[in-house]
C-alpha cells in the first residue's frame, strides 16, 4: 500500500510559479509510475503530467507543456510538479497518484487527497 500526501498549493497571481510536492510512503516507491491530475469545480478530473519509476519517461498534457515540469526524487520518496507561467485556468485541486503503469488516464491505484491551487488575475 502507498499513501500519498500533497503539499505546496496556494494562491498565486497569473504569471507566477508554484512547486507542488507529493510524498509517498512505502519502500517500493521507485517501482511506481506517478501522475499529477487536477480537478476544477464542476469539471472532470484531468491529466496534467506523469513520470516513470526511473524518471526517464515523462508525459504532459498539451495545456501545460512548456510551463510545467514533473520530476521525482526516489531517495526522498517524493514527486514534484514545478508550475511556471500560471494562468487562471490552472486553478484546481491538484492530486498525485501512483500506479504500476505509466499512463495519462486515471487508472492509477493510489491517490492523495489533493492540494488547492488558485491563480488570480
Amino acid at each position: 500500500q502507498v499513501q500519498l500526501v500533497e503539499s505546496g498549493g496556494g494562491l498565486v497571481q497569473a504569471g507566477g510559479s508554484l512547486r507542488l510536492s507529493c510524498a509517498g510512503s512505502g519502500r517500493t516507491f521507485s517501482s511506481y509510475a506517478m501522475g499529477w491530475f487536477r480537478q476544477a469545480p464542476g469539471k472532470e478530473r484531468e491529466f496534467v503530467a506523469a513520470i516513470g519509476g526511473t524518471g526517464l519517461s515523462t508525459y504532459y498534457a498539451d495545456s501545460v507543456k512548456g510551463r510545467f515540469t514533473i520530476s521525482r526524487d526516489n531517495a526522498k520518496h517524493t514527486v514534484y510538479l514545478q508550475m511556471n507561467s500560471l494562468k487562471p485556468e490552472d486553478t484546481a485541486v491538484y492530486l498525485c497518484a501512483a500506479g504500476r503503469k505509466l499512463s495519462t488516464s486515471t487508472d492509477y491505484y493510489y491517490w492523495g487527497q489533493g492540494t488547492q491551487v488558485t491563480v488570480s488575475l
Side-chain angles (χ1 to χ4, degrees), residues 16 25 38 60 78 84-85 90 106 109 113:
S25 64
R38 65 188 181 187
Y60 294 94
T78 301
N84 299 329
S85 302
D90 294 318
T106 57
Y109 292 155
Q113 294 297 308

Side-chain angles (χ1 to χ4, degrees), residues 48-106:
V48 175
I51 188 167
T54 63
L56 296 179
S57 298
T58 56
Y59 294 137
Y60 294 94
D62 287 343
S63 59
V64 307
K65 205 171 291 184
R67 300 188 298 124
F68 291 11
T69 303
I70 189 170
S71 61
R72 67 189 297 161
D73 184 337
N74 285 335
K76 295 183 178 179
H77 289 193
T78 301
V79 63
Y80 304 98
L81 186 68
Q82 177 67 44
M83 305 186 296
N84 299 329
S85 302
L86 283 161
K87 305 174 181 179
E89 51 263 44
D90 294 318
T91 295
V93 174
Y94 283 71
L95 306 101
C96 71
R100 289 300 188 186
K101 184 181 70 170
L102 185 59
S103 173
T104 62
S105 68
T106 57

